[in-house]
Amino acid sequence: MKLMYSNRVLAAAVPQPGRNAPPELTAKVDLVLSIAAWAGTAAAVAGILITGSMMAVSLKRGESSEHMGRLGMVLGGCVLVATAGPLVTFVFGDGGA
């Protein structure tokens, strides 16, 4: 009996509030988010270049280092930066726009 009730509660419609922000504020927030996305992409590219350079120098010197771990972290950051916008849109929806 309780299981049937919980199914009805969990299947209830989730409210989807509309956007109420003024267009001027929305435009400014979009600009700031665009700049942050650009900076994140630039930092990701710089991180890959720097890690690759460090790997090349270490290989030439014959030093063993843990650059593959660093490269994995940089690539993980790249994936996070690239998927941040689509993930937020998937989780929160497009707000009816």
Side-chain angles (χ1 to χ4, degrees):
M1 184 71 163
K2 289 184 181 181
L3 181 60
M4 290 175 55
Y5 175 73
S6 66
N7 285 343
R8 282 184 280 164
V9 170
L10 292 176
V14 177
Q16 296 290 329
R19 292 184 177 181
N20 296 330
E24 299 86 18
L25 178 64
T26 306
K28 290 179 182 178
V29 169
D30 285 343
L31 176 65
V32 169
L33 290 176
S34 297
I35 291 171
W38 178 86
T41 303
V45 170
I48 292 172
L49 292 174
I50 290 169
T51 303
S53 300
M54 290 174 68
M55 289 172 74
V57 169
S58 292
L59 180 67
K60 184 157 177 85
R61 289 183 183 173
E63 299 172 354
S64 73
S65 188
E66 298 189 17
H67 294 296
M68 290 307 285
R70 289 183 190 164
L71 185 61
M73 294 292 285
V74 169
L75 293 177
C78 292
V79 169
L80 188 61
V81 166
T83 60
L87 283 175
V88 169
T89 301
F90 175 74
V91 170
F92 294 108
D94 60 1

